[in-house]
Amino acid sequence: MILPVVAYGDPVLRKEAEEVQEGMEALDSLIENMWETMYRAEGVGLAAPQVGRSLRLFVVDGSPFGEGEEGAPECKDFKRVMINPVLFEESGEECDMEEGCLSIPGVREPVTRPVSVKVEYFDADWVLREEALTGIAARIVQHENDHLDGVMIPDYVPPLRKAMLQGKLKDIAQGKVPADYPMRYPGKSIR
Ligand code: NI
């Protein structure tokens, strides 16, 4: 089932999400719906708070970045469900890259992040995994993990630029920015 994506401005996106309990009821169908919703919106990642569930869980599929000869090798077959993830910084090295977010349609901003991270998480079969990630795969996971702590792209934007973004963010929250996937807006339900 495709779920509406919660738009910027909804308090659920700013909450510290709760740990998923092992054996949680309907966890499989939530994950299934999150995949469907992410692919419908042509995203490479979707966190549970973005479908209105304040839980520490996200899905990522970076394979669009891995396509073709020029594709990022770390993104080939990079499809994961990460439950209760914990991130560790791998190195002190950071880089800038423009990011977008399904909850903030039409906004793309450069975000500075560590190049590499290590992540520990439970997969969909509740097996504890540890992975070292780099490049775009590391970036996608850091972006989604931020959602679990209520952190979003505008939080990384310098103050002047953020001030310039305010009008656009307000429009998004009020449902005035069209997206080609179903969205849920704070305080009202459109599309
Ligand atoms: Ni996002």
Side-chain angles (χ1 to χ4, degrees):
M1 189 179 21
I2 292 166
L3 306 169
V5 174
V6 173
Y8 187 86
D10 192 302
V12 74
L13 293 173
R14 290 309 200 174
K15 276 211 270 189
E16 181 92 2
E18 282 180 27
E19 294 230 326
V20 177
Q21 301 300 314
E22 187 177 0
M24 190 192 98
E25 201 187 329
L27 179 59
D28 289 347
S29 62
L30 173 61
I31 291 169
E32 197 50 51
N33 292 342
M34 286 174 64
W35 283 127
E36 265 191 70
T37 302
M38 187 190 82
Y39 289 126
R40 168 67 182 77
E42 297 181 3
V44 293
L46 183 74
Q50 291 182 279
V51 293
R53 302 291 299 275
S54 193
L55 292 167
R56 305 193 76 80
L57 150 73
F58 56 77
V59 295
V60 291
D61 185 350
S63 52
F65 286 107
E67 282 166 14
E69 281 184 22
E70 304 284 294
E74 72 273 16
C75 286
K76 291 200 166 71
D77 306 313
F78 184 62
K79 179 177 171 174
R80 306 280 190 275
V81 177
M82 295 194 180
I83 301 170
N84 298 340
V86 180
L87 264 62
F88 306 90
E89 266 191 47
E90 265 285 79
S91 67
E93 201 189 339
E94 293 189 326
C95 71
D96 277 3
M97 190 179 157
E98 232 182 41
E99 292 184 18
C101 180
L102 295 178
S103 293
I104 319 178
V107 170
R108 295 190 65 81
E109 293 291 331
V111 176
T112 307
R113 299 189 186 274
V115 174
S116 308
V117 290
K118 204 175 270 182
V119 58
E120 266 182 27
Y121 62 95
F122 290 94
D123 68 12
D125 299 317
W126 212 268
V127 175
L128 185 61
R129 307 262 178 198
E130 187 188 302
E131 271 190 85
L133 301 173
T134 189
I136 297 174
R139 180 162 293 266
I140 297 170
V141 164
Q142 290 177 81
H143 176 112
E144 297 313 323
N145 191 67
D146 272 354
H147 276 297
L148 311 185
D149 294 323
V151 174
M152 300 180 82
I153 295 171
D155 304 335
Y156 290 95
V157 174
L160 187 63
R161 178 78 191 136
K162 196 176 175 181
M164 288 167 67
L165 265 181
Q166 282 313 316
K168 210 166 182 184
L169 294 173
K170 204 175 157 196
D171 284 349
I172 291 167
Q174 291 179 346
K176 292 178 186 163
V177 177
D180 30 7
Y181 43 90
M183 290 198 79
R184 191 185 95 190
Y185 301 98
K188 55 177 162 181
S189 185
I190 312 167
R191 293 174 69 169

